[in-house]
Amino acid sequence: MYKSRLFFLLLCLSFQLSFGQDTKKIYLSGKDFKNPVQWEFMCTGGNNSNTWSTINVPSNWELEGFGTYTYGRWYKELNQKEPSKEQGFYKYKFEVPEVYKNQEVVIVFGGAMTDTEVKINGKIAGEIHQGGFYEFKYNITDLVKIGAENLLEVHVSKHSSNATVNNAERKTDWWLFGGIYRPVWLEIKPKTNIEHVAVDAKMDGSLTAVINLNNTPKDATLQASISPIGSKETFKPQTFPVTKSSTKQTIQAKWDGVEPWNPENPKLYQLEIAIVKNGNPVHKYTSKIGFRTLEFLKKDGIYVNGKKIIMKGINRHEIWPESGRSTDKDISILDVNLIKDMNMNAVRFHYPPATHFLEVCDSLGLFVLDELAGWQNGYDTKTGTTLIKEMVQRDVNHPSVIIWDHGNEGGWNYDIDHVFHEYDPQKRIIIHPWSDFDGWDTHHYPTYLTGMHRFNNGENVFFPTEFMHGTYDNGIGAGLEDFWTRYKQSPLFAGGFMWAMLDEAVLRTDWTGEQKYDSKGNLASDGVLGPHREKEGSFFTVKEVWAPIQIKPKQITSTFDGSFFVTNDYIYTNLNSCKLEYRVLSADKDALYTNSKKVVITTNPIEVGDIQPGETRAIHFNVPTNFFKGDWLEITATDKHGREIYTWSWPIHRAPYFAQKFIKAETEATATSISESDGKVLMYSKNISVELDKKTGEIVSIKNKKGNVPFSNGPRPVGMKAKVETIKIEQFKDSIVCQVKYSGGIDNITWTMFNDGRLKMKALLLKNAGRNSGFDGAFIQGEISEFGLTFDFPEEGVEHIKWLGNGPYHVWKNRIKGTTMGLWEKDYNQTITGESFENLVYPEFKGYHANLLAANLKTKNGDLKFFSESDKLFLRLFTPDLPQKAVSKVFPQPEFPEGNISFMYEIPGMRAFKALQDQGPESQPTNIRIKSGDVGIPMTLWFDFRSNSN
């Protein structure tokens, strides 16, 4: 059935031959893993081995149920004696119609892992190809039968016979797969043809093209033309003579009015170069290109189109959980858009990616560091020379590619650095990622205070090709702003690339049970995105920190006049091409208790004006008359392509306003009562009763009309010590009061229960330095990672939270950016970032939440409401579960304080691969000096445990 469809396709394509001599591309496999073609297949080891069956091509055979899964750290953390070494045998029959007689036929493999032997009709097509990440081809003109059936046989060895290939590609920190995982196709073209074109297209419209030719006839010419993609603008073709039988020729052309390519405005052109004989094209070569000028100035920087660039980048593995390294253009579009959505402008790999990914980088706009594989070991000279040629010839014309990476962290061979420039007329720089090489310092995982001639007093251009390592919830966004602010202070800074984009979990077709996806514990869980591109909290932190529009910190008060200071952090774009819009939003007073959402009460555009890259200027909008009827302000910036840059937000009022707005007060004639008995203080109202322990000052029990409320054993001090000294109780007409006086870190806590059952806690912390009696040493530690008050509450039965504050993601001290003021809600989940791949629900439920103003915690046994009259208070909502599958020592999160629900002024920072002391100031513990006469630190909270306040 398929053969007949292929034959029909070939006939349709052959009809085009009389109208132009383009290269015909005919797929023998599917174009991608979503649209595969079945070939005959047998695997020699592991699952479903030693039996001929069929397999989808392209694919990695492990994901198709064959062979054995292997991770590249088999020799280290995984303590395996050797990796899997199965081999795969493929067969496929195809026909080449008679119309292609006297044409040149080339078979092309987009990528196969790892050693690949190709036979056509029983005859070897050429030397066995070694290297799993490269496009390779064979001229099979003399091997195919025209107008008859042909047999293609492919023998793929997962483990290479070349030790340097295994050391470069398969002793690594990534998944090792086998199989033909990228497409296979035929290229059919006339015997007189253009074999390859490598261009250097500069921003002024000049173009140099190095053209490889075959069988050039006498009196032929070369014609070069360009046409802008997405535009009807025309440019005059240019013609050049060509010498008969010439195999290589360089032409130089120039067109006026060309619009240059850059990642902020990725303008592309279709280049066509044709061999013309007697006025007719003999063969045409086409390629999408961009005109841009690269300059690499040592002791200065990297310039693109005359502008010094700073790369905001990330490292990406090419992987999809259900298909391994076999992907498609839809995934490339998805990933590039996600990278752009984080306000990044650059991406790096550990091997050449699929061509369609580079095409999307060209069209949507990213700088690319294109890397020869070699994780920590390099190829031998012969193999490396071949693979550099294949990589450069495939990728040389992509305007997105601005740098060649030769291996990684020791994975290079100095003897073949020169080969890159042999095939690249642009002479892009060659870097050795992680080293200080040839004027380009790409030091990996530098500390905040990295120095010793590398940064503080360095002389080489500095751009770490890996930093901000993201294992589990570590790194990426945590500490980024500090690192970025400091590094940008150096005029030699050219940017950096975070590790990494994805948690590389793959579907285990050989597993049964609930667990389906495997990331080898912590080894492959390095991403800011989950395996199916689920967004972690750091995604939004990066989006804000790297936004090309930066708004200077602002606090809205009654004097607010609509003014902001805005910085243009673009390289090429004037902010007058962007859009800014403000919105004033409000939440109904019953929003915590009902399904009501936020309401936009005013929205208007903001005039931006002319702000050049690097400039900071004031912008202003007219404050509407109903502005202070709103609860918070949002400003959204959108770029000229319609992509959201970021949405910033600010509360319009202070915390007491929101507490009074959202807490439900009721008229209650029945008075409260208070008494002391058996070491307890007993506080009663019609709706609620509370028992406090006189010795500790902590809640012993709470009861409402539905029964026991298990909120207890607090307030306990966090980051300080305190002892109860005295307790005083008072009765008032509308309330009862219990004042607890402490020595140590807490000065006093006053509990007020109103007649309707509302409970108010007013605490004063760190007031008096002298009242430290009864403690061995200080009552507050010198360095403070956590500071506040905590309570116990069982996690069982918790269902949902709705809150007003910053959200929706949890935060760390050094990763608060990326959350915004708003009315948020989320269901209870037990997501462990980097591990819960079978049920990866975001945002995570547990952890610290910034700027708590009001919250309703829903449980099976009733609701708990918290309200803060203290600004900038963190709500600790239980403790995130720790990963269970780590295979090496990890630090997944800082230690959490005692208790389950806490109200904190200080929370810890998250490490970013380095210890906290090697990170910036926002990652460090704080400290406080308490002096006589200090008024102390207040914390005022309201609790609503009434069963009828729904």
Side-chain angles (χ1 to χ4, degrees):
M1 182 71 176
Y2 177 75
K3 291 178 184 177
S4 63
R5 290 199 304 268
L6 176 61
F7 185 77
F8 177 76
L9 174 63
L10 294 176
L11 289 177
C12 292
L13 290 172
S14 68
F15 180 76
Q16 300 173 20
L17 285 171
S18 60
F19 294 94
Q21 295 293 305
D22 294 330
T23 298
K24 301 300 179 289
K25 186 173 184 179
I26 302 170
Y27 283 91
L28 303 182
S29 72
K31 291 185 178 181
D32 53 58
F33 80 97
K34 293 178 183 175
N35 302 281
V37 171
Q38 287 199 337
W39 292 12
E40 294 181 73
F41 180 72
M42 182 185 72
C43 187
T44 63
N47 297 302
N48 299 312
S49 59
N50 297 311
T51 300
W52 279 97
S53 58
T54 59
I55 193 171
N56 290 325
V57 182
S59 70
N60 285 124
W61 62 55
E62 295 85 352
L63 282 301
E64 296 290 308
F66 298 95
T68 303
Y69 287 80
T70 300
Y71 194 77
R73 301 290 274 181
W74 56 269
Y75 64 99
K76 199 167 184 179
E77 289 91 347
L78 301 177
N79 297 314
Q80 298 172 5
K81 292 183 179 179
E82 63 179 20
S84 56
K85 297 182 178 180
E86 68 268 15
Q87 301 173 34
F89 291 86
Y90 297 80
K91 293 180 183 179
Y92 184 71
K93 295 178 181 179
F94 65 96
E95 295 181 10
V96 180
E98 189 72 29
V99 69
Y100 291 116
K101 188 176 182 179
N102 298 321
Q103 299 285 301
E104 181 177 284
V105 182
V106 174
I107 189 169
V108 185
F109 288 76
M113 294 173 166
T114 298
D115 288 2
T116 307
E117 178 187 74
V118 179
K119 292 182 180 179
I120 303 293
N121 298 321
K123 295 181 179 180
I124 298 291
E127 186 177 359
I128 292 174
H129 184 269
Q130 296 181 323
F133 296 100
Y134 307 90
E135 182 178 294
F136 57 97
K137 59 185 66 176
Y138 300 101
N139 190 320
I140 58 172
T141 305
D142 297 333
L143 300 180
V144 294
K145 302 173 185 177
I146 303 299
E149 186 176 78
N150 295 272
L151 175 63
L152 167 64
E153 297 174 279
V154 185
H155 176 197
V156 178
S157 299
K158 182 174 175 179
H159 195 76
S160 178
S161 63
N162 184 329
T164 71
V165 172
N166 292 324
N167 289 339
E169 299 183 15
R170 308 191 79 77
K171 277 191 173 181
T172 61
D173 193 5
W174 62 64
W175 283 100
L176 310 180
F177 296 113
I180 303 171
Y181 69 101
R182 289 177 181 164
V184 182
W185 65 91
L186 299 178
E187 291 181 351
I188 301 178
K189 51 192 171 184
K191 294 292 181 68
T192 294
N193 62 67
I194 298 170
E195 181 179 345
H196 187 264
V197 176
V199 306
D200 181 8
K202 297 190 179 297
M203 64 178 294
D204 64 355
S206 62
L207 178 141
T208 299
V210 180
I211 306 170
N212 293 352
L213 301 162
N214 289 321
N215 304 310
T216 311
K218 182 180 179 181
D219 298 327
T221 60
L222 290 171
Q223 182 174 282
S225 61
I226 60 170
S227 56
I229 295 173
S231 169
K232 295 182 179 180
E233 187 179 6
T234 59
F235 293 85
K236 184 178 180 180
Q238 299 189 25
T239 302
F240 307 87
V242 61
T243 305
K244 180 180 182 295
S245 301
S246 174
T247 59
K248 180 180 284 190
Q249 183 157 340
T250 300
I251 64 171
Q252 292 182 325
K254 189 175 188 303
W255 290 275
D256 294 328
V258 163
E259 189 175 350
W261 182 97
N262 67 64
E264 296 165 20
N265 187 40
K267 183 66 176 179
L268 294 175
Y269 292 79
Q270 183 84 353
L271 170 69
E272 181 181 286
I273 296 179
I275 300 174
V276 178
K277 175 71 173 178
N278 298 326
N280 296 314
V282 179
H283 182 238
K284 292 189 291 186
Y285 176 99
T286 60
S287 177
K288 290 180 182 178
I289 65 169
F291 289 84
R292 50 107 181 95
T293 299
L294 302 178
E295 297 174 279
F296 305 101
L297 304 181
K298 294 181 180 181
K299 305 182 189 302
D300 184 359
I302 299 170
Y303 289 77
V304 179
N305 300 339
K307 302 288 187 180
K308 184 185 280 193
I309 67 169
I310 291 181
M311 293 172 283
K312 301 173 180 176
I314 199 161
N315 288 270
R316 173 188 181 264
H317 273 299
E318 186 152 274
I319 195 164
W320 188 255
E322 286 74 28
S323 61
R325 307 236 179 268
S326 190
T327 61
D328 70 346
K329 193 164 187 177
D330 287 344
I331 292 173
S332 291
I333 293 170
L334 170 67
D335 283 2
V336 173
N337 272 312
L338 285 165
I339 293 170
K340 297 280 288 186
D341 284 346
M342 283 187 280
N343 290 313
M344 297 177 176
N345 63 8
V347 63
R348 174 192 173 229
F349 299 88
H350 273 331
Y351 39 78
T355 298
H356 51 69
F357 188 87
L358 295 180
E359 291 171 350
V360 180
C361 291
D362 293 340
S363 62
L364 294 183
L366 286 177
F367 294 130
V368 175
L369 274 59
D370 202 354
E371 186 159 307
L372 186 79
W375 183 60
Q376 290 182 340
N377 298 279
Y379 297 104
D380 65 77
T381 296
K382 179 178 181 296
T383 306
T385 298
T386 298
L387 297 180
I388 291 173
K389 176 183 177 182
E390 290 173 348
M391 169 182 166
V392 175
Q393 285 196 329
R394 192 198 72 164
D395 297 345
V396 66
N397 293 337
H398 289 282
S400 57
V401 176
I402 64 167
I403 292 172
W404 302 117
D405 295 1
H406 186 173
N408 168 72
E409 296 185 357
W412 44 75
N413 179 343
Y414 291 97
D415 293 338
I416 54 176
D417 277 326
H418 66 91
V419 179
F420 287 91
H421 285 176
E422 290 179 14
Y423 298 97
D424 178 18
Q426 298 179 34
K427 301 297 186 282
R428 300 165 174 91
I429 60 168
I430 300 137
I431 64 170
H432 293 175
W434 99 328
S435 73
D436 196 350
F437 169 73
D438 196 29
W440 313 104
D441 186 350
T442 57
H443 180 41
H444 282 187
Y445 305 106
T447 65
Y448 176 79
L449 292 175
T450 192
M452 291 301 292
H453 208 63
R454 294 201 89 144
F455 184 77
N456 288 344
N457 300 299
E459 61 181 12
N460 291 331
V461 177
F462 179 72
F463 56 108
T465 40
E466 291 180 27
F467 81 129
M468 307 305 296
H469 197 289
T471 304
Y472 295 135
D473 197 28
N474 295 179
I476 303 292
L480 173 64
E481 186 174 25
D482 279 346
F483 278 97
W484 201 249
T485 299
R486 179 169 187 268
Y487 291 166
K488 281 185 69 177
Q489 293 172 358
S490 170
L492 293 173
F493 184 57
F497 293 78
M498 293 188 284
W499 188 270
M501 182 178 177
L502 306 170
D503 288 335
E504 296 133 39
V506 298
L507 177 68
R508 292 297 297 254
T509 57
D510 56 341
W511 282 359
T512 59
E514 292 184 0
Q515 188 177 355
K516 300 177 182 179
Y517 296 97
D518 185 8
S519 66
K520 277 295 174 278
N522 58 298
L523 295 182
S525 298
D526 300 337
V528 70
L529 297 167
H532 292 102
R533 284 47 175 178
E534 299 91 341
K535 295 176 182 178
E536 300 175 9
S538 281
F539 179 97
F540 300 96
T541 305
V542 176
K543 184 179 181 69
E544 180 174 4
V545 173
W546 275 357
I549 294 178
Q550 291 290 317
I551 296 180
K552 188 176 180 179
K554 184 79 176 180
Q555 178 173 298
I556 293 178
T557 69
S558 60
T559 64
F560 178 64
D561 64 355
S563 298
F564 288 86
F565 281 100
V566 171
T567 297
N568 183 350
D569 205 32
Y570 278 110
I571 301 172
Y572 304 96
T573 303
N574 191 313
L575 291 194
N576 61 15
S577 65
C578 299
K579 293 181 180 179
L580 262 68
E581 180 183 75
Y582 79 85
R583 292 179 298 279
V584 179
L585 298 102
S586 177
D588 186 84
K589 65 179 181 179
D590 294 323
L592 292 180
Y593 314 97
T594 66
N595 292 325
S596 64
K597 306 292 184 181
K598 62 188 179 183
V599 176
V600 178
I601 63 174
T602 301
T603 181
N604 275 301
I606 302 174
E607 185 177 344
V608 180
D610 183 71
I611 305 177
Q612 296 287 345
E615 285 188 333
T616 298
R617 292 193 179 183
I619 64 170
H620 174 269
F621 68 87
N622 293 323
V623 178
T625 56
N626 61 350
F627 181 82
F628 289 99
K629 292 182 180 179
D631 291 328
W632 69 95
L633 168 70
E634 293 180 351
I635 293 181
T636 296
T638 307
D639 72 12
K640 58 186 175 183
H641 305 291
R643 188 186 302 274
E644 182 197 81
I645 297 170
Y646 195 69
T647 294
W648 298 265
S649 63
W650 300 263
I652 293 174
H653 307 280
R654 304 297 294 269
Y657 168 90
F658 295 105
Q660 295 304 313
K661 176 175 179 175
F662 291 107
I663 191 168
K664 279 192 173 183
E666 299 176 4
T667 302
E668 179 57 61
T670 304
T672 54
S673 65
I674 187 167
S675 62
E676 298 178 71
S677 175
D678 298 325
K680 304 287 194 301
V681 174
L682 310 175
M683 307 172 68
Y684 294 96
S685 74
K686 180 180 177 182
N687 297 314
I688 191 172
S689 66
V690 177
E691 290 188 7
L692 300 176
D693 187 295
K694 293 179 66 175
K695 185 177 180 179
T696 63
E698 298 174 8
I699 294 174
V700 177
S701 70
I702 300 174
K703 294 181 180 179
N704 62 23
K705 291 181 179 180
K706 289 185 178 180
N708 184 58
V709 179
F711 186 81
S712 61
N713 299 329
R716 304 200 300 277
V718 175
M720 54 185 165
K721 300 175 183 179
K723 286 184 178 181
V724 174
E725 287 188 340
T726 62
I727 290 181
K728 178 183 178 182
I729 61 175
E730 293 183 90
Q731 176 83 50
F732 296 95
K733 182 178 180 180
D734 63 344
S735 62
I736 51 177
V737 174
C738 176
Q739 185 180 65
V740 185
K741 196 73 173 177
Y742 297 80
S743 61
I746 303 176
D747 183 81
N748 69 83
I749 294 179
T750 300
W751 292 94
T752 303
M753 180 184 287
F754 292 87
N755 289 350
D756 61 3
R758 289 173 295 144
L759 187 64
K760 182 178 182 181
M761 186 199 80
K762 188 173 184 180
L764 188 61
L765 313 176
L766 305 185
K767 179 182 179 183
N768 195 322
R771 297 176 58 243
N772 189 26
S773 59
F775 292 104
D776 295 327
F779 61 78
I780 186 164
Q781 60 205 49
E783 290 189 341
I784 304 170
S785 295
E786 305 159 335
F787 181 80
L789 301 172
T790 190
F791 299 81
D792 287 346
F793 188 79
E795 199 170 314
E796 184 180 359
V798 173
E799 297 178 325
H800 183 85
I801 188 170
K802 190 173 187 179
W803 80 102
L804 184 71
N806 278 40
Y809 283 81
H810 71 212
V811 300
W812 304 103
K813 177 181 180 179
N814 54 2
R815 201 192 75 185
I816 296 173
K817 283 201 168 181
T819 60
T820 54
M821 170 73 178
L823 184 66
W824 304 105
E825 55 185 316
K826 54 185 173 181
D827 291 331
Y828 176 84
N829 64 72
Q830 299 188 48
T831 290
I832 301 173
T833 289
E835 192 165 283
S836 301
F837 301 125
E838 282 69 34
N839 188 29
L840 199 56
V841 178
Y842 283 113
E844 306 102 319
F845 191 81
K846 307 173 191 178
Y848 296 110
H849 297 75
N851 197 23
L852 170 70
L853 294 169
N856 184 6
L857 183 66
K858 289 186 173 292
T859 78
K860 290 181 179 179
N861 297 315
D863 297 354
L864 286 74
K865 292 93 174 177
F866 313 115
F867 308 88
S868 172
E869 288 195 11
S870 301
D871 291 297
K872 304 299 183 183
L873 196 65
F874 295 97
L875 169 66
R876 176 273 193 93
L877 194 61
F878 306 109
T879 301
D881 296 331
L882 292 173
Q884 303 298 310
K885 301 180 179 67
V887 299
S888 62
K889 186 177 181 180
V890 295
F891 303 91
Q893 65 189 26
E895 185 176 349
F896 274 68
E898 295 179 358
N900 312 100
I901 294 179
S902 312
F903 304 91
M904 313 283 288
Y905 279 126
E906 289 287 342
I907 62 173
M910 171 61 81
R911 69 193 304 275
F913 202 54
K914 299 288 187 180
L916 284 178
Q917 58 265 32
D918 292 327
Q919 296 177 204
E922 290 302 318
S923 299
Q924 307 310 312
T926 189
N927 58 74
I928 186 169
R929 181 183 180 191
I930 306 166
K931 305 180 298 298
S932 177
D934 285 351
V935 297
I937 299 174
M939 181 187 293
T940 302
L941 299 169
W942 290 79
F943 301 94
D944 189 350
F945 301 115
R946 296 171 292 177
S947 60
N948 60 344
S949 55
N950 295 319

